[in-house]
PDB file of all heavy atoms in Angstrom:
ATOM      1  N   VAL A  29      34.784  71.175  67.535  1.00  0.00           N
ATOM      2  CA  VAL A  29      34.619  72.220  66.498  1.00  0.00           C
ATOM      3  C   VAL A  29      35.812  72.256  65.611  1.00  0.00           C
ATOM      4  O   VAL A  29      36.946  72.153  66.086  1.00  0.00           O
ATOM      5  CB  VAL A  29      34.381  73.588  67.173  1.00  0.00           C
ATOM      6  CG1 VAL A  29      34.156  74.659  66.143  1.00  0.00           C
ATOM      7  CG2 VAL A  29      33.213  73.524  68.142  1.00  0.00           C
ATOM      8  N   ALA A  30      35.564  72.311  64.322  1.00  0.00           N
ATOM      9  CA  ALA A  30      36.679  72.314  63.399  1.00  0.00           C
ATOM     10  C   ALA A  30      37.509  73.591  63.554  1.00  0.00           C
ATOM     11  O   ALA A  30      36.977  74.674  63.506  1.00  0.00           O
ATOM     12  CB  ALA A  30      36.171  72.243  61.969  1.00  0.00           C
ATOM     13  N   ALA A  31      38.770  73.419  63.785  1.00  0.00           N
ATOM     14  CA  ALA A  31      39.629  74.576  63.870  1.00  0.00           C
ATOM     15  C   ALA A  31      39.821  75.148  62.470  1.00  0.00           C
ATOM     16  O   ALA A  31      39.606  74.470  61.491  1.00  0.00           O
ATOM     17  CB  ALA A  31      40.988  74.166  64.425  1.00  0.00           C
ATOM     18  N   ALA A  32      40.186  76.419  62.404  1.00  0.00           N
ATOM     19  CA  ALA A  32      40.477  76.988  61.073  1.00  0.00           C
ATOM     20  C   ALA A  32      41.489  76.108  60.423  1.00  0.00           C
ATOM     21  O   ALA A  32      42.433  75.635  61.088  1.00  0.00           O
ATOM     22  CB  ALA A  32      41.016  78.411  61.254  1.00  0.00           C
ATOM     23  N   MET A  33      41.284  75.815  59.156  1.00  0.00           N
ATOM     24  CA  MET A  33      42.155  74.849  58.540  1.00  0.00           C
ATOM     25  C   MET A  33      43.474  75.461  58.158  1.00  0.00           C
ATOM     26  O   MET A  33      43.508  76.579  57.647  1.00  0.00           O
ATOM     27  CB  MET A  33      41.491  74.275  57.308  1.00  0.00           C
ATOM     28  CG  MET A  33      42.075  72.971  56.951  1.00  0.00           C
ATOM     29  SD  MET A  33      41.029  71.896  56.028  1.00  0.00           S
ATOM     30  CE  MET A  33      41.190  72.602  54.429  1.00  0.00           C
ATOM     31  N   ASP A  34      44.552  74.784  58.442  1.00  0.00           N
ATOM     32  CA  ASP A  34      45.831  75.320  57.972  1.00  0.00           C
ATOM     33  C   ASP A  34      46.085  74.751  56.555  1.00  0.00           C
ATOM     34  O   ASP A  34      45.245  74.027  56.017  1.00  0.00           O
ATOM     35  CB  ASP A  34      46.992  74.971  58.944  1.00  0.00           C
ATOM     36  CG  ASP A  34      47.233  73.482  59.089  1.00  0.00           C
ATOM     37  OD1 ASP A  34      47.016  72.753  58.066  1.00  0.00           O
ATOM     38  OD2 ASP A  34      47.626  73.065  60.168  1.00  0.00           O
ATOM     39  N   ASP A  35      47.188  75.132  55.976  1.00  0.00           N
ATOM     40  CA  ASP A  35      47.430  74.760  54.604  1.00  0.00           C
ATOM     41  C   ASP A  35      48.233  73.451  54.483  1.00  0.00           C
ATOM     42  O   ASP A  35      48.658  73.099  53.403  1.00  0.00           O
ATOM     43  CB  ASP A  35      48.165  75.870  53.885  1.00  0.00           C
ATOM     44  CG  ASP A  35      47.250  77.079  53.701  1.00  0.00           C
ATOM     45  OD1 ASP A  35      46.009  76.904  53.591  1.00  0.00           O
ATOM     46  OD2 ASP A  35      47.751  78.224  53.703  1.00  0.00           O
ATOM     47  N   ARG A  36      48.417  72.758  55.599  1.00  0.00           N
ATOM     48  CA  ARG A  36      49.194  71.531  55.500  1.00  0.00           C
ATOM     49  C   ARG A  36      48.330  70.310  55.195  1.00  0.00           C
ATOM     50  O   ARG A  36      48.315  69.331  55.949  1.00  0.00           O
ATOM     51  CB  ARG A  36      49.912  71.348  56.863  1.00  0.00           C
ATOM     52  CG  ARG A  36      50.974  72.420  57.099  1.00  0.00           C
ATOM     53  CD  ARG A  36      51.718  72.115  58.397  1.00  0.00           C
ATOM     54  NE  ARG A  36      52.924  72.920  58.533  1.00  0.00           N
ATOM     55  CZ  ARG A  36      53.837  72.690  59.449  1.00  0.00           C
ATOM     56  NH1 ARG A  36      53.723  71.681  60.279  1.00  0.00           N
ATOM     57  NH2 ARG A  36      54.925  73.464  59.511  1.00  0.00           N
ATOM     58  N   TYR A  37      47.584  70.440  54.145  1.00  0.00           N
ATOM     59  CA  TYR A  37      46.675  69.328  53.790  1.00  0.00           C
ATOM     60  C   TYR A  37      47.260  68.447  52.673  1.00  0.00           C
ATOM     61  O   TYR A  37      46.565  67.622  52.103  1.00  0.00           O
ATOM     62  CB  TYR A  37      45.333  69.901  53.355  1.00  0.00           C
ATOM     63  CG  TYR A  37      45.410  71.115  52.425  1.00  0.00           C
ATOM     64  CD1 TYR A  37      45.986  71.020  51.159  1.00  0.00           C
ATOM     65  CD2 TYR A  37      44.964  72.343  52.872  1.00  0.00           C
ATOM     66  CE1 TYR A  37      46.082  72.130  50.362  1.00  0.00           C
ATOM     67  CE2 TYR A  37      45.076  73.489  52.069  1.00  0.00           C
ATOM     68  CZ  TYR A  37      45.639  73.376  50.794  1.00  0.00           C
ATOM     69  OH  TYR A  37      45.715  74.466  50.023  1.00  0.00           O
ATOM     70  N   CYS A  38      48.524  68.638  52.364  1.00  0.00           N
ATOM     71  CA  CYS A  38      49.115  67.987  51.208  1.00  0.00           C
ATOM     72  C   CYS A  38      49.116  66.501  51.260  1.00  0.00           C
ATOM     73  O   CYS A  38      48.992  65.816  50.235  1.00  0.00           O
ATOM     74  CB  CYS A  38      50.526  68.515  51.004  1.00  0.00           C
ATOM     75  SG  CYS A  38      50.725  70.296  51.367  1.00  0.00           S
ATOM     76  N   THR A  39      49.266  65.925  52.470  1.00  0.00           N
ATOM     77  CA  THR A  39      49.442  64.488  52.601  1.00  0.00           C
ATOM     78  C   THR A  39      48.156  63.687  52.264  1.00  0.00           C
ATOM     79  O   THR A  39      48.260  62.528  51.963  1.00  0.00           O
ATOM     80  CB  THR A  39      49.908  64.075  53.986  1.00  0.00           C
ATOM     81  OG1 THR A  39      49.053  64.723  54.922  1.00  0.00           O
ATOM     82  CG2 THR A  39      51.350  64.538  54.242  1.00  0.00           C
ATOM     83  N   THR A  40      47.012  64.361  52.323  1.00  0.00           N
ATOM     84  CA  THR A  40      45.787  63.637  51.942  1.00  0.00           C
ATOM     85  C   THR A  40      45.965  63.082  50.536  1.00  0.00           C
ATOM     86  O   THR A  40      45.574  61.944  50.258  1.00  0.00           O
ATOM     87  CB  THR A  40      44.552  64.586  52.005  1.00  0.00           C
ATOM     88  OG1 THR A  40      44.535  65.256  53.254  1.00  0.00           O
ATOM     89  CG2 THR A  40      43.280  63.792  51.771  1.00  0.00           C
ATOM     90  N   CYS A  41      46.565  63.885  49.662  1.00  0.00           N
ATOM     91  CA  CYS A  41      46.772  63.416  48.278  1.00  0.00           C
ATOM     92  C   CYS A  41      48.158  62.796  48.054  1.00  0.00           C
ATOM     93  O   CYS A  41      48.273  61.784  47.374  1.00  0.00           O
ATOM     94  CB  CYS A  41      46.631  64.586  47.306  1.00  0.00           C
ATOM     95  SG  CYS A  41      44.922  65.095  47.069  1.00  0.00           S
ATOM     96  N   HIS A  42      49.170  63.439  48.639  1.00  0.00           N
ATOM     97  CA  HIS A  42      50.531  63.022  48.301  1.00  0.00           C
ATOM     98  C   HIS A  42      51.034  61.862  49.177  1.00  0.00           C
ATOM     99  O   HIS A  42      52.153  61.435  49.079  1.00  0.00           O
ATOM    100  CB  HIS A  42      51.501  64.192  48.392  1.00  0.00           C
ATOM    101  CG  HIS A  42      51.342  65.152  47.252  1.00  0.00           C
ATOM    102  ND1 HIS A  42      51.976  64.961  46.037  1.00  0.00           N
ATOM    103  CD2 HIS A  42      50.610  66.274  47.098  1.00  0.00           C
ATOM    104  CE1 HIS A  42      51.639  65.952  45.178  1.00  0.00           C
ATOM    105  NE2 HIS A  42      50.821  66.753  45.809  1.00  0.00           N
ATOM    106  N   GLY A  43      50.152  61.352  50.069  1.00  0.00           N
ATOM    107  CA  GLY A  43      50.514  60.205  50.903  1.00  0.00           C
ATOM    108  C   GLY A  43      51.229  60.595  52.190  1.00  0.00           C
ATOM    109  O   GLY A  43      51.667  61.777  52.300  1.00  0.00           O
ATOM    110  N   VAL A  44      51.271  59.668  53.084  1.00  0.00           N
ATOM    111  CA  VAL A  44      51.942  59.893  54.382  1.00  0.00           C
ATOM    112  C   VAL A  44      53.361  60.347  54.137  1.00  0.00           C
ATOM    113  O   VAL A  44      54.095  59.743  53.362  1.00  0.00           O
ATOM    114  CB  VAL A  44      51.897  58.618  55.248  1.00  0.00           C
ATOM    115  CG1 VAL A  44      52.753  58.790  56.521  1.00  0.00           C
ATOM    116  CG2 VAL A  44      50.478  58.289  55.623  1.00  0.00           C
ATOM    117  N   GLU A  45      53.803  61.445  54.797  1.00  0.00           N
ATOM    118  CA  GLU A  45      55.146  62.023  54.591  1.00  0.00           C
ATOM    119  C   GLU A  45      55.489  62.157  53.116  1.00  0.00           C
ATOM    120  O   GLU A  45      56.615  61.940  52.725  1.00  0.00           O
ATOM    121  CB  GLU A  45      56.194  61.208  55.346  1.00  0.00           C
ATOM    122  CG  GLU A  45      55.981  61.258  56.862  1.00  0.00           C
ATOM    123  CD  GLU A  45      57.260  61.443  57.652  1.00  0.00           C
ATOM    124  OE1 GLU A  45      58.283  60.855  57.211  1.00  0.00           O
ATOM    125  OE2 GLU A  45      57.251  62.089  58.675  1.00  0.00           O
ATOM    126  N   GLY A  46      54.495  62.448  52.318  1.00  0.00           N
ATOM    127  CA  GLY A  46      54.743  62.728  50.887  1.00  0.00           C
ATOM    128  C   GLY A  46      55.415  61.609  50.138  1.00  0.00           C
ATOM    129  O   GLY A  46      56.266  61.851  49.295  1.00  0.00           O
ATOM    130  N   LEU A  47      55.002  60.386  50.420  1.00  0.00           N
ATOM    131  CA  LEU A  47      55.650  59.244  49.712  1.00  0.00           C
ATOM    132  C   LEU A  47      55.075  59.036  48.315  1.00  0.00           C
ATOM    133  O   LEU A  47      55.576  58.205  47.566  1.00  0.00           O
ATOM    134  CB  LEU A  47      55.569  57.979  50.580  1.00  0.00           C
ATOM    135  CG  LEU A  47      54.209  57.361  50.868  1.00  0.00           C
ATOM    136  CD1 LEU A  47      53.613  56.625  49.703  1.00  0.00           C
ATOM    137  CD2 LEU A  47      54.316  56.432  52.045  1.00  0.00           C
ATOM    138  N   GLY A  48      54.049  59.776  47.963  1.00  0.00           N
ATOM    139  CA  GLY A  48      53.419  59.590  46.660  1.00  0.00           C
ATOM    140  C   GLY A  48      52.235  58.647  46.706  1.00  0.00           C
ATOM    141  O   GLY A  48      52.210  57.735  47.548  1.00  0.00           O
ATOM    142  N   ASN A  49      51.217  58.913  45.891  1.00  0.00           N
ATOM    143  CA  ASN A  49      50.045  58.058  45.901  1.00  0.00           C
ATOM    144  C   ASN A  49      49.580  57.837  44.483  1.00  0.00           C
ATOM    145  O   ASN A  49      49.013  58.715  43.833  1.00  0.00           O
ATOM    146  CB  ASN A  49      48.907  58.656  46.755  1.00  0.00           C
ATOM    147  CG  ASN A  49      47.695  57.800  46.862  1.00  0.00           C
ATOM    148  OD1 ASN A  49      47.556  56.830  46.077  1.00  0.00           O
ATOM    149  ND2 ASN A  49      46.826  58.079  47.794  1.00  0.00           N
TER     150      ASN A  49
END
Side-chain angles (χ1 to χ4, degrees):
Chain A
V29 181
M33 200 155 81
D34 63 32
D35 292 329
R36 293 183 167 192
Y37 42 65
C38 321
T39 50
T40 309
C41 286
H42 286 276
V44 171
E45 295 222 325
L47 63 77
N49 183 345

